Amino acid sequence: MPGEDPAEDDVLAGIDYSQPLNDLNAPGLRSFAAGQAEFAARWVPPFLSGGHWGRGPQSNAESCLSCHPGNGRGRAPDGPGEPPHSLVLRLAKPGTDEAGRPQPHPAYGTHLNRHGILGQLIEEGDFRVEYSKREVALADGSRVELRSPTVRLAALWYGPTGDDTTVSLRLAQPVFGLGLLEAVADSTILDLAEQQQRIGFNGRPNRVIDEATGEYMIGRFAHKASQPYLRHQVAAAFHDEMGVTSNLFPQEQCWPIQKACYRVERVIGVEARDEQLDSITDYLRLLAAPRQREMNDPLVRRGAGLFDKAKCSVCHVPELKTGSNAVHAQLRNRTIRPYTDLLLHDMGDGLADGRREFDAGGRDWRTPPLWGIGLRAMVNGNSELLHDGRARNVTEAILWHGGEADVSRQEFINMNEQDRRALLRFVESL
Ligand code: HEC
Ligand code: HEC
């Protein structure tokens, strides 16, 4: 049963998203604290005061923490009145380049930057999210309102994006427990995919390029599993979200039409040093996942059974083992309960964004881990879910499941009120 495995006590901790793994020694804790400070550090355009130099010329935020508050997820705006602070808008032209990366927009690149530099460079543009609403009826007659987002682009400085541009809204994801997910062996992920094939599901790993070596690896991180390992994800976040270059992504994001972008003052060499990437990567590796609560509540136990019965556990796999190759001993050969398979699934047209990222197609999303999900309102003050934050609670998130997960949605719709309540209680106990 959850929580009864002694090995688990080592990797699960506390009641929020900020705890280090339990068995860190003093040097481990010092490096954890140093990485935490870098994760919170403010970046400013060179040569302003008040932070590390190197943000921009274009960016969407000034620190990792500003989009991942409390190491949790971002917040989706309520409607067009609220600016999208921790929701990013990815842009692409149809198809991919020969390596499989999305095709950047010729004027705006891979995403829309909402910040330039005061007095030097205007921002690329802005956007707002509007929702259209509809009701879904459950088998027992109760009704649930779902909202689906539409993006309204505004103040586009380099002209309209064009009709064939795909836009994809991405909510900042929680960042705890990721060292353990990085430590799961490739063979475990491939085995899960094979097992699913045998029972009529189709989870597939993404295969993505490691920009450091040009080799392909299994993708694990970001909503379409387009990032192969944590250090890669950290460097990509610096580059894409904050305009901070590193040895992995040394080019500033200026596109040929953006003449003024090339004239902005620059730091000589890369902006985030290797040690800074390492420090944040280590911090993320050592951040524990919260342990499950209320395991012995009869309703929660019943919900756990229904989670299996509704086939949720096919994709949200309760238990995985980490392999033996992690840098940190604490991450090796652990039993973890992340509720993910790290695989891509076709989730149907309702959730599709039409954007390809390597082997992930327009309807594919990586199964998000569910550990810690019940603490999101406490940590982040909001409870939005799914890749763009459209779901306002777990019920709505389940009702958006389509494609391969349509069976689970149907099971949920057909449950009586008591069973639904038990399932939801279980999910919120994670
Ligand atoms: C402007 C908002 C924003 C900022 C700033 C930001 N992120 Fe993110 N982060 C996101 C979004 C959006 C995603 C999902 C990306 C995707 O699917 O394309 C993400 C995903 C991640 C993930 C993957 C989590 C998972 O489960 O796969 C990690 C790790 C991460 N960010 C770390 C960082 C770090 C480290 C920094 C600072 C260097 C940072 N982020 C800065 C918005 C942001
Ligand atoms: C075929 C695989 C699959 C099955 C079966 C499945 N899910 Fe999911 N689930 C996903 C994927 C993929 C997403 C992410 C979709 C997105 O972000 O648009 C997701 C998202 C979620 C989320 C939102 C998580 C977050 O962090 O935003 C919850 C909650 C959830 N699922 C619960 C369930 C429950 C409960 C069931 C069973 C009733 C279930 N899922 C069945 C694949 C699956």
Side-chain angles (χ1 to χ4, degrees):
M1 282 311 291
E4 284 165 16
D5 175 355
E8 202 179 77
D9 286 340
D10 297 326
V11 291
L12 300 179
I15 44 114
D16 62 18
Y17 302 156
S18 307
Q19 308 295 318
L21 296 172
N22 275 346
D23 46 2
L24 279 195
N25 57 14
L29 284 171
R30 270 198 298 279
S31 97
F32 181 81
Q36 188 176 47
E38 287 295 346
F39 190 78
R42 218 176 142 210
W43 286 76
V44 295
F47 298 95
L48 304 182
S49 57
H52 295 321
W53 285 336
R55 177 153 68 90
Q58 332 246 26
S59 64
N60 272 316
E62 60 179 20
S63 72
C64 308
L65 197 62
S66 56
C67 288
H68 301 282
N71 305 315
R73 72 186 73 214
R75 179 188 150 72
D78 268 341
E82 191 183 340
H85 291 301
S86 43
L87 194 58
V88 168
L89 190 67
R90 304 256 184 262
L91 300 170
K93 285 293 182 186
T96 60
D97 68 10
E98 65 270 30
R101 303 179 197 93
Q103 210 55 269
H105 187 281
Y108 295 97
T110 55
H111 58 277
L112 190 74
N113 284 297
R114 297 176 53 248
H115 299 293
I117 302 176
L118 197 64
Q120 289 192 59
L121 181 69
I122 190 143
E123 61 275 14
E124 290 179 325
D126 203 353
F127 72 94
R128 289 292 181 271
V129 179
E130 278 170 26
Y131 296 99
S132 53
K133 299 189 172 155
R134 69 182 161 94
E135 279 197 346
V136 178
L138 309 183
D140 69 359
S142 45
R143 304 180 78 80
V144 180
E145 185 194 72
L146 298 182
R147 57 173 200 182
S148 57
T150 310
V151 173
R152 299 265 173 259
L153 290 159
L156 291 174
W157 189 249
Y158 304 101
T161 54
D163 290 342
D164 61 346
T165 301
T166 58
V167 298
S168 180
L169 284 171
R170 302 286 172 94
L171 193 66
Q173 298 167 294
V175 296
F176 57 82
L178 300 180
L180 294 159
L181 294 180
E182 187 180 48
V184 172
D186 283 0
S187 58
T188 304
I189 299 175
L190 296 173
D191 284 350
L192 284 173
E194 223 182 276
Q195 284 163 27
Q196 287 184 12
Q197 294 289 337
R198 271 185 253 129
I199 54 166
F201 281 78
N202 189 29
R204 292 146 289 129
N206 203 351
R207 303 249 177 211
V208 308
I209 199 162
D210 173 357
E211 301 288 352
T213 62
E215 311 259 310
Y216 282 80
M217 293 180 67
I218 289 182
R220 290 165 192 249
F221 301 110
H223 289 295
K224 292 207 188 224
S226 53
Q227 295 293 332
Y229 51 89
L230 271 179
R231 193 175 190 277
H232 206 276
Q233 164 70 65
V234 171
F238 264 129
H239 183 258
D240 294 350
E241 327 297 3
M242 290 156 67
V244 174
T245 60
S246 61
N247 280 324
L248 213 51
F249 294 96
Q251 301 293 334
E252 291 286 12
Q253 323 163 38
C254 294
W255 301 87
I257 193 178
Q258 304 177 351
K259 300 272 185 292
C261 186
Y262 296 95
R263 292 196 296 268
V264 166
E265 286 195 275
R266 294 288 160 78
V267 169
I268 296 180
V270 297
E271 293 157 345
R273 287 173 287 107
D274 282 346
E275 306 85 83
Q276 285 167 309
L277 291 189
D278 291 340
S279 175
I280 295 185
T281 302
D282 254 4
Y283 167 65
L284 296 178
R285 282 190 180 135
L286 299 174
L287 259 181
R291 65 165 54 101
Q292 192 190 358
R293 298 152 315 284
E294 303 170 323
M295 270 111 68
N296 296 321
D297 181 322
L299 204 58
V300 170
R301 283 183 179 271
R302 205 159 124 234
L306 292 162
F307 190 80
D308 262 348
K309 186 162 167 278
K311 304 214 160 62
C312 313
S313 52
V314 172
C315 306
H316 298 283
V317 178
E319 191 171 288
L320 295 176
K321 292 221 163 32
T322 68
S324 47
N325 293 331
V327 187
H328 298 281
Q330 290 88 346
L331 301 172
R332 295 182 211 137
N333 305 314
R334 294 294 192 199
T335 300
I336 58 172
R337 300 188 64 83
Y339 295 88
T340 178
D341 53 7
L342 296 172
L343 297 172
L344 297 170
H345 295 275
D346 178 337
M347 294 297 282
D349 287 328
L351 289 173
D353 66 351
R355 178 184 167 91
R356 281 203 78 82
E357 295 183 16
F358 301 97
D359 289 349
R363 293 146 53 113
D364 293 340
W365 300 100
R366 179 203 69 173
T367 312
L370 299 182
W371 55 9
I373 193 169
L375 296 173
R376 70 197 185 286
M378 199 261 299
V379 175
N380 295 124
N382 61 285
S383 55
E384 287 111 24
L385 296 167
L386 299 177
H387 65 272
D388 52 12
R390 68 176 71 187
R392 288 159 290 187
N393 51 49
V394 174
T395 299
E396 289 181 28
I398 298 171
L399 292 173
W400 276 109
H401 281 55
E404 263 178 78
D406 204 52
V407 283
S408 295
R409 186 180 61 95
Q410 281 302 342
E411 286 272 346
F412 183 74
I413 286 180
N414 291 329
M415 282 179 192
N416 62 35
E417 211 242 300
Q418 264 187 330
D419 283 353
R420 278 203 313 274
R421 221 155 45 92
L423 178 70
L424 297 173
R425 263 297 277 282
F426 167 71
V427 173
E428 297 286 1
S429 78
L430 297 177

